[in-house]
Amino acid sequence: MAGPSEDYQNSLGNDDIKDQEDAHESSDPVDEGKDTEGDSMAHPASNSIHRSSSRPQLDLSKAAIQGNFEERDPTILLPNQSDDISHLALDIGGSLIKLVYFSRHEDQSTIDKRKKTVKLRLGISNSNRRSYPILGGRLHFVKFETHKINECLEFIDSKQLHCSGVDSRHWGSESPNSQPINNANNAVIKATGGGAFKFADLFREKLGVSIEKEDEMDCLVAGANFLLKAIRHEAFTHIEGQKEFVQIDHNELFPYLLVNIGSGVSMIKVDGDGKFQRVSGTNVGGGTYWGLGRLLTKCKSFDELLELSQRGDNRTIDMLVGDIYGGMDYSKIGLSASTIASSFGKAISENKELEDYRPEDISLSLLRMISYNIGQISYLNALRFGLKRIFFGGFFIRGHAYTMDTISFAVHFWSRGEMQAMFLRHEGFLGALGAFMSYEKHGLDDLMVHQLVERFPMGAPYTGGKIHGPPLADLNEKISWMEKFVQKGNEITAPVPMAKPGTTGLGGFEVPSSKGGTLRSDASALNVGVLHLVPTLEVFPLLADAKTYEPNTIDLSETGELDYWFTVLLEHLPDLVDKAVASEGGTDDAKRRGDAFARAFSAHMARLMEEPAAYGKMGLANLLELREECLREFQFVDAYRSIKQRENEASLAVLPDLLMELDSMSEETRLLTLIEGVLAANIFDWGSRACVDLYHKGTIIEIYRMSRNKMQRPWRVDDFDEFKKRMLGSGPQKPRPHRRALLFVDNSGADIVLGMLPLARELLRRGTEVVLVANSLPALNDITAMELPEIVAEAAKHCDILRRAAEAGGLLVDAMTNSIDGSKENSSSVPLMVVENGCGSPCIDLRQVSSELAALAKDADLVILEGMGRALHTNLYARFKCDALKLAMVKNQRLAEKLVKGKIYDCVCKYEPAG
C-alpha cells in the first residue's frame, strides 16, 4: 500500500575532487549496471579473487627505508626487485570509467645516520608483519566519461601508468638477471566492468597493453571490504540533510548487506574477505530512473535529470494519504497525511497530458519512487538474514543528498528506526579498488587504517561548475589556474546554501526549495582525496584505549565553532603568506606562489563553510594540517625557517646563564622553576594572534622574562604538587626514576631551548632516558626532528650532562659515526635521543605516529605533551598506560573559556599517573 513519506529538500553538493580527473555531464545511461538482468531472485556466489600462485613474491634482499627527516612517507627500496608492482586498475562502466592508480615516492640517495643509530639501538628492522612490504606512495582516484575513453587513454599514457604491469609470460621466469619489465607492449592491467570486454582491443591498439578481466562482483566486495577496514571516515549516514560519520570496529564489520545501485540493483550478503553471496536484486534501479526520466522529461543527461528533481514538487503527481482521507493522517496504522500512497497516482484521476506536468515534478516523483523501493527491498533482505548494517554504493547515488535522504528515510521507516542506511565516500570506486587488489602483489592485504593518510590537494581546475583536464600536477599550471580562479570569483565553492528545512509527519522535508544553483557533474557533497600509503605509521602503543581515543578536543560541529575557527585561520592568513614569501627570499616567484597558496587555502575554507563534511569528519587538528599541506603543495617547505633560526640563536646565547641559575637551586625549587620555565617559554607561538602581537612589542628575552614573572600559582590547571610527589617523593625514601620519558616538544627558540631542554636535562640527571619527539615536517614555528640535533649539539657545548647524553644517543656527529661503525660503545650516560613523530602539523593524532616513535614508546613510562596544539587542541583528554604530564600556556581566549574556564595566558599543568 503506502510507502514512506514526505518531500525532501535537496541540499546540493559539488564533488570537487582534488588531484583527480572528474566526469562531465554524461549522456549515457547511469553507470554500474551490476545487475542488468534485474533478477530479484538470489544468485548464490561464494568466491574470492583468483590469484595465480605462479606469480613471484617480492625480492626483499637488502630492502631498506631511505629518506631524510623532511620525508613524510619514506620509500621502501627494493634494490634486487626484478619486476615492478602493477599499480593501475580500471572499472569501465556504461557511462563512467573509474581508475585507481598507485604513485610512488622518488628514491632518496641519502640515509639519515641519526635514524640508523636509533634503529640499531632499539633493534628495529625495516621489515614488518607482512610477507612483503608495500612501497610508500599514494592511491589516486580518477573518473572519465566512457564516451570520452580517448581522454582516459591519453591520461594513462601521459603518466605512463600502463608501463608497470607485468606480462604473465614472464611470471614463471627463473632468470636471476631478469630486468624490470617496463615495455608497455608486454604490460597487463586489471579491469572490471562491461567495458573491460568491449574496449580490450582499443587498449591493445592505443597503449599496447592487454586487459586482464576480473569478476565484477568479486571486485565490488573486495573494494568495499578494503575501504571499510582501512579508511577511518569512509562510512556515513545521511538523514534529513545531516551527515554523520560512523566508525566501525573491524572485528564487528561482518556480516553486512552491500547494495550496489547501478542500472539495476544487486544485493550482496558479505560474510568476510572473499566470502559473499548475492542474495537478491531488482531491475528497478538507476537505469530505470534514467530511462523513464529521459522518456518523460526529454533530459539529455542523468545529471540534468537529478538537477530537475531539486526544483520539483512531487505532490502534484503522487497520491498522498491525505489526498485519500481528506487531508487527515491515517494515524491508526502510523501513516501521516504526507505519506505517499501511490507514486504517480494523481495522474490517473486528472485530465492532463504529459506536457501539462512540470518535468521537475516528474523527476522528483520518479526519484522518490525508485529510491524508496530500493530502500524497502534492502531492509527486507537485511531482515531476512538478520543483518544490522546496510551499505549503499554505486554511481546512481553520486553523493546526491536527496537520493541519500530518501533511501535513509525508507530504511528508517520500514525498520521502525532500528536500522540505518549507510553510504561510502568512495562509493563509485568499489569495483576499481577491487580490481587493483586482484593483483598478486598489491601489498594491501594487511593494510591498517593508521597507515593511510587522506589529503586534499588542489587538483583539477573548476570553472563554470565543470571540471576540465587532468589533475594539476605541474606547479606553474596550478598557479596559473589559481590566478584565473581569483578573476572568476567564488565559482569554486559549491554546494548551494539552503535554508534550514521544515519537517512534518514522519520526518520528511517539506517541499524542496532551491536558490537556483547548478547541480554539478557527479554532484557529491563528499570529496574524495588522495590516499597516501605510509607503511611506517603505527598506533601509539601507550594509549590506554586506542579504539575510543579521539585526538580533537574541540568539536567543530557545535554551534559557532566552525565559523569562529575559520575566521581565526583566515585572519592569520596574510601574516602566514608574508612569512612564507620571506622564507623564500621574497622573490617574484615566491610572491606568485604565496598568492596562489592564499587563494587555494581560502577556497578550501569556503568549500568547508558550505559543506563542513566535504572532506570527511573534520576537527581543529585536521584544519591546521590542511593548511600546512596546502603550503607544501605550493612548495613552501618551511615558512618560518629564518624566524626559527634567529630565535634559536638568541635563546642559545642565554642558555648557559639559565643552566647556572638552575644548578644553584635546591632540587624542589629547581623542579618548580623548570615547569614554570616550560610554561613561560610556551608563549612563543606564531600560530597565536595574541602572541604575534607580542613580538612587535619586545625582544624574545624581554617577552620570556615577562612571561616568567607572570608564573604565579595556582595555575588554571595545577597538578604540580602531584607531579612533584611522583618525582621527588614525600618522605626519606626517594621514588624510582622513570625509565624513559617521551617529551613531545613544540616551538623553536625559547620554547625548546629555555623550556624543554632544561627539563630534559633534569630527567637525564635523575637517570631517565629522554626522547625528544618532534615534527617530521615543519609547521608554523614548530621545531622539527631534523633541526633538533643541531640545537642539542650547541647546548651540549655548555653542559656536560647534555653532552654525555647526546653522545650516548648518537646526536653528536663524532659519537654518532662511531656508534654506527660499532667501534665505540658509549654507556657512560643515559641517552638523549631525537625521534620524529610522523606528522607535519601543530597538533598530533596519536593513532598515526612514526614506527620509530612507536618502538621507543614500548619501554617508556612517562609522556610529556607540551604546547597548545599537542596538549590542548589535541590530547587534553587522552589517557595513557603510563604517567602523563600535559603542559601548555593558553593563547586563545575562546580555548581558555571553553577548555579551562579561564582567560588568555592561563597555564595548564595536568598530571595523570599511570592507569
Side-chain angles (χ1 to χ4, degrees), residues 28-35 260-266 282-294 302 305-306 366-367 370-371 373-374 393-398 403:
D28 290 334
V30 66
D31 197 25
E32 311 332 305
K34 305 294 183 187
D35 184 20
N260 195 66
I261 311 174
S263 298
V265 183
S266 282
T282 171
N283 58 350
V284 180
T288 312
Y289 177 57
W290 172 219
L292 284 176
R294 188 173 186 178
F302 184 82
L305 188 63
L306 276 179
L366 191 59
L367 179 65
I370 293 169
S371 297
N373 180 263
I374 293 171
F395 267 106
F396 167 72
I397 298 171
R398 300 197 179 199
T403 305

Side-chain angles (χ1 to χ4, degrees), residues 690-842:
C691 294
V692 170
D693 292 340
L694 284 177
Y695 282 99
H696 301 297
K697 298 177 182 178
T699 66
I700 184 172
I701 301 304
E702 289 171 340
I703 297 171
Y704 175 67
R705 286 173 180 160
M706 176 202 73
S707 184
R708 284 295 298 266
N709 292 335
K710 290 180 176 292
M711 293 290 104
Q712 300 298 319
R713 296 184 66 196
W715 302 313
R716 178 56 56 180
V717 177
D718 194 341
D719 296 335
F720 173 76
D721 291 336
E722 289 82 355
F723 178 66
K724 181 182 72 173
K725 184 177 180 181
R726 169 61 185 89
M727 294 292 290
L728 306 180
S730 57
Q733 188 171 354
K734 296 294 183 181
R736 172 189 58 80
H738 292 96
R739 293 187 307 274
R740 178 182 292 163
L742 304 179
L743 276 60
F744 288 77
V745 298
D746 189 9
N747 303 308
S748 296
D751 199 355
I752 179 65
V753 176
L754 304 180
M756 291 300 279
L757 266 185
L759 179 59
R761 177 177 178 261
E762 182 67 19
L763 291 167
L764 292 166
R765 187 203 299 263
R766 293 175 50 80
T768 300
E769 291 185 4
V770 174
V771 181
L772 300 176
V773 185
N775 268 15
S776 301
L777 294 172
L780 293 173
N781 64 318
D782 291 359
I783 193 71
T784 67
M786 183 176 67
E787 296 163 336
L788 253 182
E790 183 178 348
I791 292 175
V792 172
E794 286 298 315
K797 294 177 180 178
H798 310 289
C799 174
D800 288 340
I801 297 175
L802 289 176
R803 179 181 56 79
R804 289 194 300 269
E807 288 177 352
L811 294 180
L812 301 185
V813 176
D814 292 340
M816 178 177 70
T817 304
N818 291 334
S819 175
I820 291 174
D821 295 339
S823 59
K824 178 180 178 181
E825 181 63 30
N826 193 320
S827 59
S828 61
S829 174
V830 291
L832 172 63
M833 294 174 277
V834 170
V835 68
E836 58 182 289
N837 58 20
C839 80
S841 167

Side-chain angles (χ1 to χ4, degrees), residues 132-370:
Y132 51 87
I134 60 174
L135 297 177
R138 304 168 177 85
L139 271 181
H140 301 260
F141 303 90
V142 182
K143 297 193 294 290
F144 292 90
E145 289 181 273
T146 303
H147 72 88
K148 296 181 179 179
I149 189 170
N150 286 326
E151 290 184 10
C152 174
L153 296 173
E154 290 170 6
F155 175 79
I156 294 172
D157 186 57
S158 68
K159 287 185 174 290
Q160 293 292 289
L161 299 179
H162 58 306
C163 294
S164 62
V166 182
D167 191 332
S168 59
R169 292 173 296 179
H170 294 266
W171 286 339
S173 174
E174 299 179 359
S175 171
N177 298 319
S178 58
Q179 297 298 315
I181 302 168
N182 286 325
N183 186 343
N185 291 321
N186 295 324
V188 176
I189 58 176
K190 297 280 192 175
T192 188
F197 297 87
K198 181 177 180 181
F199 298 111
D201 290 341
L202 185 61
F203 273 79
R204 167 67 72 181
E205 176 188 343
K206 297 286 188 179
L207 299 177
V209 299
S210 298
I211 286 183
E212 186 168 326
K213 305 167 187 67
E214 293 294 330
D215 181 77
E216 290 186 61
M217 210 70 73
D218 288 347
C219 293
L220 190 69
V221 173
N225 285 346
F226 166 74
L227 290 169
L228 289 169
K229 288 193 288 185
I231 311 300
R232 182 168 285 116
H233 295 133
E234 175 64 29
F236 63 95
T237 59
H238 199 287
I239 301 173
E240 296 191 359
Q242 299 299 312
K243 303 178 189 66
E244 183 173 338
F245 290 90
V246 180
Q247 185 59 33
I248 299 168
D249 190 326
H250 298 172
N251 297 321
E252 299 176 359
L253 173 60
F254 304 112
Y256 67 83
L257 187 69
L258 177 62
V259 180
N260 195 66
I261 311 174
S263 298
V265 183
S266 282
M267 299 180 185
I268 307 161
K269 178 175 176 283
V270 183
D271 295 300
D273 291 321
K275 300 177 182 178
F276 62 88
Q277 181 180 15
R278 184 183 183 280
V279 294
S280 187
T282 171
N283 58 350
V284 180
T288 312
Y289 177 57
W290 172 219
L292 284 176
R294 188 173 186 178
L295 291 173
L296 296 173
T297 69
K298 308 302 181 183
C299 283
K300 293 181 171 57
S301 75
F302 184 82
D303 288 325
E304 184 184 352
L305 188 63
L306 276 179
E307 184 180 338
L308 282 177
S309 72
Q310 72 161 337
R311 301 193 296 271
D313 181 358
N314 69 301
R315 294 177 299 183
T316 65
I317 297 178
D318 292 341
M319 183 180 292
L320 308 182
V321 169
D323 295 327
I324 299 174
Y325 295 101
M328 302 293 291
D329 296 339
Y330 194 165
S331 55
K332 183 177 181 179
I333 57 175
L335 297 178
S336 72
S338 57
T339 299
I340 298 175
S342 175
S343 293
F344 289 87
K346 284 184 179 176
I348 62 176
S349 60
E350 296 177 340
N351 187 23
K352 292 182 179 180
E353 301 297 327
L354 177 61
E355 55 269 19
D356 296 325
Y357 292 98
R358 296 171 65 235
E360 293 87 343
D361 301 339
I362 294 173
S363 175
L364 182 59
S365 179
L366 191 59
L367 179 65
R368 295 189 65 179
M369 178 183 76
I370 293 169

